[in-house]
Amino acid sequence: MLNDERIIVFGLGQRFKEIKGKYSDLFEKLNVVAYLDNNEKLWGNQWGNVPVMSPLSIAGLSFDKIVLTTVYVKDMKEQMIGLGVPKEKIILWDEFFSRAQQGTFLTYGAKSQSGFSGKSRLLLISVELNYNGGTMAILNAARALKLHGYDVTVSASGGDRRLIKELSEENFQTVIVPAINYPGEEELKWICQFDVVIVNVFQMIRCACEISHRKPVIWWIHECSNRFDKIYSWIRDNYSEYDHMEAMRNIKVVAVSAIAEKNFNNYYKDRIKEVIPYGIPDRYSNRSNVLPRSPKYIFAVIGSILPRKGQLIFQDAVRMLDEEQKKHMEFWIIGYLGEDSYSEEVRKNAESMPEVKLLGELDQEHMQKKYEKISVVVCSSLEETMSMTITEGMMNEKICITTDATGMADYITDGGNGLICRAGDANSLCQKMKWVADHPEQCEEIRKNARRTYENYFTLQKFAQRMHSVIELTVKGR
């Protein structure tokens, strides 16, 4: 198929270089007849003996597909259509790559145990299996439903080998299907062996809609507003046939929190009417049940260093504390620290703040050991549809401070089982940290209540019960 189609690749910028580096083997199999780019300095050059040309040259070229390898998809798509290229000949790289691998299935781990419990066979479809919040939420759904007796298979277009290995060690069958986001007939036939399909996150809209013609689908939404805006624009510009309520008619759409529900319903009015919070495994160790856990109160912000996560706000709040108070405190920032301007500012601030320590990204095992030393888990985010770190903090019986712009704030009574500050307000966060240091006796009761909140709402058993109810309703509704 790849050698038969005459391909024009449009866009030789950073996105193209990333694709070319990652998929060099696939590029060698492509029958590329020309490269196009709007940068006139590249015209007349060659890439692998294939000429680089102006987009205006399109009229004189014979081809089957134009593959867009750019982040400026909308503009370049409109440019090609304006030059007379039929819309059906223009394809995004992600879709082209997926279609090129249709019919590929790589299976890892335990074989399916069809019918062993008399309950439905479930297929849980994720974005690539990596250590991010959305993926971990759907994998915890797999764990919860397996505990409930379901026969569960996990699928994605790709993933981290370490995570796939972990799933195999837990006796999950994991099937990597490169074309799962753009399923062809072979993928859809394979999916038909399952009774119910759970599709994760908003960007999988195409997958959810296509499968819903064949099988009952539960679509679980997690995205915060800025992420939702970006994905919605991408869908509207490239896959408008799915951007309407009728396309979702056969889908049970649910959200992880009231914030995620609102974000979705802003675009698809009143479509979501049910919130299904996640659950997480109980890794609690009571070896750390005295506050403070060390000679100092340790306040920790956990998560990738991003503007939305508010690490700079956390650092500003630390600066507002009295020097005498800071003698009894230590502040940890745990998470991946990149080379972008925001990460660089966090890094620069930490250099002048001896009480602030940057610990980098930690795996689950090392993070759990850190929880034994942490006194207070802080979520300084400008928005979180839930907040996995606050949930883990409650599970570990910690004092938790979250902003009022998180889904977890719905489960917290300020001063009862946690503390709530105003999002984006460093002074508000500073006051909550001061309160913790000044009220150790009340904090002990808050800590115990936090653990009770986890037990009441966020265990895998509670999660399984919620999901089981939705599955039964979805099957009956179908």
Side-chain angles (χ1 to χ4, degrees), residues 390 394 398-401 408-420 442-443 445-454 457-458:
I390 293 298
M394 288 184 147
K398 305 297 176 182
I399 303 299
C400 294
I401 304 174
M408 282 302 295
D410 291 342
Y411 299 88
I412 293 176
T413 300
D414 191 34
N417 58 346
L419 298 166
I420 301 175
Q442 290 98 314
C443 281
E445 188 61 29
I446 290 174
R447 183 178 60 74
K448 292 174 183 176
N449 289 337
R451 173 66 192 183
R452 292 189 192 104
T453 302
Y454 164 75
Y457 294 101
F458 299 110

Side-chain angles (χ1 to χ4, degrees), residues 335-354:
Y336 175 73
L337 192 66
E339 300 300 325
D340 57 283
S341 58
Y342 188 83
S343 296
E344 188 56 37
E345 191 170 354
V346 170
R347 187 183 287 111
K348 185 177 179 181
N349 284 346
E351 289 173 357
S352 62
M353 303 174 72

